[in-house]
Amino acid sequence: MTKLKTSIATISISGTLVEKLSAIASRGYDAVEIFENDLLSAAQSAKEIGAICRDLGLEVAMLQPFRDYEGLSPDLRARAEERMRRKFAVMEDLGTDLILLCSNCSPHAVGERDVLLEDLARIAGIAGEHDKRLAYEALAWGTHINDHRDAWALVRDVDHPALGLTLDSFHSLSRNIPSASIGDIRADKLFIVQWADAPILQMDLLNWSRHFRCMPGQGDFPLVEFGAQLRRIGYDGYWSLEIFNDRFRAGSASSVARDGIRGLKVLHDQSGIALRRAAELPAPVAPQGVEFIEFAASHAEAEEFGRIFHALGFAPVGRHRSKDVVRWQQGGINLVINSEPEGLAHSFDMVHGGSVCALGLTVDDQQGAIDRAAALDIDRFAQSVAPDEWQIPALRGVGGSLFYLVDGATRDAMWAEEFPHALEQAKQDGLLTSVDHIAQTMQYEEFLGWLLYYTSLFDFTKTPQLEIADPMGIVYSQAVESRAGSVAGAGKPLRFTLNGSMAANALSTRFLHNYFGAGVQHIAFACDDIFAAAAKAKDAGLPFLAVGPNYYADLEARFGLDADLVARMAEHNIMYDRDDNGEYFQFYSRAVAKRIFFEVVQRRGYDAYGAANASVRLSAQAAHRDPVDF
């Protein structure tokens, strides 16, 4: 099994150079690429930086970058060679023998192959005399060399021990260069591989590269195939991250570094599996569904949630054996209100107010899930429990909330033993069947990190990111969905939607301010008859989110719907969407304490989330900033 050797370029994270090195070392990287601008602005000398790296247990994989050499006029080339000699002295102080040589971007460079070969042979000779090596990289926007196949052909034909190749996934995949072409490269001449993912965008390559790179697993590039080709040829050097992203440079260096190594571990594992090699990580967690949603609430807030739950058709079916905790149930849905005066839920309520503090996910293999989380540096949570209470392992999730990992084989016994005090019977005429999706709101800078959390820990796929118009700005939204999980045995996927915005007054941002952090902003329940569910909720006094008449007039014209059907939807504030696969109906409650609201949906072959209605919904919610009045 090829051991993963990890590295990251200092440009990828925020802080001073010493702060970056500390964050990188704390997350377990083997090595670091020193970006020249970071070194130039450091208060320490190159020799001191090299010593700090050694003290932290970090190798210096490479100094970078060195730009604009091959194909220049003799006088410019001579000047570049003198600059290179000075870099060799810096490299000596840092303790590295490798420097990144980027393909020339100068308009003054010539592209004749004989000239390029001669120049690269000359600089390789100079490097060899100084016991240094050059890693030649084809920049995607290079004047003449912008394809790794051409860069490899030059390195191969120069055939000097001091000259090798750099592969960068962004430069190759942004130009749609087939990963199969890696098979032509000799592994001994591949000095380093740099990794970056990215969303697929239609823009110039330089700006795409400088602002939108992201960690493996956070974008859309086919990195697994790229990695499988590397492993097929026997490459065993550093897998190094080189990420240019404005969000990362404004975020926590430690968190971004953690995301990077998490993404590399998953990518290395997946690339091996693609070659039918043994997995290196425990298998991704495949939850069967949402076993429960736990709300932290004071007694007053518990009454407020209880009124909403009653109106939605839930019944309080049991009280905890020893704690101030009540279980509400309907169909395959369990809601738990925790009003304990101490413990995590109490602390959560003190900080955030009445809100979702934990989610219970049913899993087949608790230990496998725990092991997967540990391998990906996902924090466990534990608090003291009474000797006769169930020990349910928990992981830290969005905003400090928890994911409880409930054993699918013993969940019925858990409910029976933990909630033995019966209250009401579950309603026989309940119309809600399961949790359809859970929407979590977070800071824009956190978005990609939590996206990677879900797709690396769980057996989830991600949908394309959407931009939704809020009256006060743009909200970015993206869903993650289980591949094979089921909700309450109904064969439905487990779904989470992640939302964030840079707009100061967007609904998602106001939630963060009111809530003091990231968390669950809304929960959607599934039903089989949206009109019956809405009528019953209306009779029970649910405070609906009101939708204006113009929406329904447009709806009838846009989809050619029957006027009577539209009138029924308008009566109950039901919204509608349709695509090639089917239809989607949805209605919303008003927000409880300006924090959390509820949605009821009916799907008829439709797998999306009604994005076309989101701006209408956000506008309606923006008009209701007052608390719910029952």
Side-chain angles (χ1 to χ4, degrees), residues 370-434:
I370 292 167
D371 293 344
R372 174 83 174 186
L376 296 175
D377 193 23
I378 291 172
D379 293 335
R380 288 280 302 275
F381 171 81
Q383 65 180 352
S384 59
V385 296
D388 57 348
E389 284 187 88
W390 281 65
Q391 294 273 5
I392 307 175
L395 307 175
R396 287 287 188 182
V398 171
S401 63
L402 302 182
F403 276 121
Y404 283 104
L405 304 172
V406 179
D407 181 12
T410 60
R411 62 185 180 183
D412 290 340
M414 175 194 73
W415 287 117
E417 293 184 22
E418 289 291 280
F419 289 83
H421 306 301
L423 297 175
E424 300 178 12
Q425 290 289 324
K427 296 180 180 179
Q428 298 302 310
D429 58 349
L431 294 169
L432 308 187
T433 59
S434 61

Side-chain angles (χ1 to χ4, degrees), residues 27 29 253-263 376-377 449 452:
R27 291 303 180 181
Y29 287 84
S254 179
S255 295
V256 173
R258 176 204 59 203
D259 290 344
I261 202 164
R262 184 177 290 167
L376 296 175
D377 193 23
L452 181 62

Side-chain angles (χ1 to χ4, degrees), residues 33-66:
E33 295 181 36
I34 303 292
F35 198 76
E36 187 175 50
N37 285 356
D38 287 325
L39 184 62
L40 294 177
S41 61
Q44 299 77 17
S45 68
K47 186 167 289 188
E48 289 171 325
I49 292 297
I52 290 170
C53 288
R54 290 188 290 276
D55 289 344
L56 290 170
L58 291 171
E59 296 286 333
V60 179
M62 183 166 66
L63 174 67
Q64 64 122 324
F66 189 87

Side-chain angles (χ1 to χ4, degrees), residues 247 444-445 474-476 500-506 508-509:
R247 277 192 260 187
Y444 179 73
E445 291 78 14
I474 295 295
V475 176
Y476 298 90
S501 177
M502 292 184 289
N505 290 310
S508 61
T509 311

Side-chain angles (χ1 to χ4, degrees), residues 225-421:
E225 180 185 359
F226 196 90
Q229 293 295 339
L230 287 171
R231 299 188 66 176
R232 181 176 281 116
I233 67 171
Y235 173 73
D236 61 358
Y238 288 116
W239 285 37
S240 188
L241 298 164
E242 187 190 43
I243 311 295
F244 300 89
N245 189 299
D246 302 333
R247 277 192 260 187
F248 296 168
R249 287 191 286 268
S252 160
S254 179
S255 295
V256 173
R258 176 204 59 203
D259 290 344
I261 202 164
R262 184 177 290 167
L264 284 176
K265 286 179 179 179
V266 173
L267 176 60
H268 196 263
D269 183 45
Q270 290 175 337
S271 65
I273 292 172
L275 296 174
R276 299 188 178 182
R277 299 177 184 176
E280 300 160 11
L281 298 173
V285 182
Q288 298 171 9
V290 178
E291 185 63 27
F292 64 84
I293 301 173
E294 181 177 352
F295 295 79
S298 66
H299 287 111
E301 291 164 338
E303 290 183 7
E304 192 173 0
F305 279 120
R307 288 193 291 269
I308 286 278
F309 295 169
H310 266 301
L312 286 169
F314 290 88
V317 297
R319 184 175 295 280
H320 193 271
R321 56 167 49 198
S322 60
K323 294 181 178 179
D324 193 358
V325 182
V326 176
R327 176 193 182 190
W328 294 69
Q329 188 178 22
Q330 179 178 186
I333 311 166
N334 293 290
L335 307 178
V336 174
I337 300 181
N338 188 331
S339 301
E340 271 290 282
E342 58 184 23
L344 174 103
H346 175 70
S347 300
F348 212 87
D349 183 49
M350 293 294 291
V351 174
H352 303 292
S355 54
V356 174
C357 64
L359 301 169
L361 301 182
T362 313
V363 297
D364 286 329
D365 182 2
Q366 276 184 327
Q367 190 57 52
I370 292 167
D371 293 344
R372 174 83 174 186
L376 296 175
D377 193 23
I378 291 172
D379 293 335
R380 288 280 302 275
F381 171 81
Q383 65 180 352
S384 59
V385 296
D388 57 348
E389 284 187 88
W390 281 65
Q391 294 273 5
I392 307 175
L395 307 175
R396 287 287 188 182
V398 171
S401 63
L402 302 182
F403 276 121
Y404 283 104
L405 304 172
V406 179
D407 181 12
T410 60
R411 62 185 180 183
D412 290 340
M414 175 194 73
W415 287 117
E417 293 184 22
E418 289 291 280
F419 289 83
H421 306 301

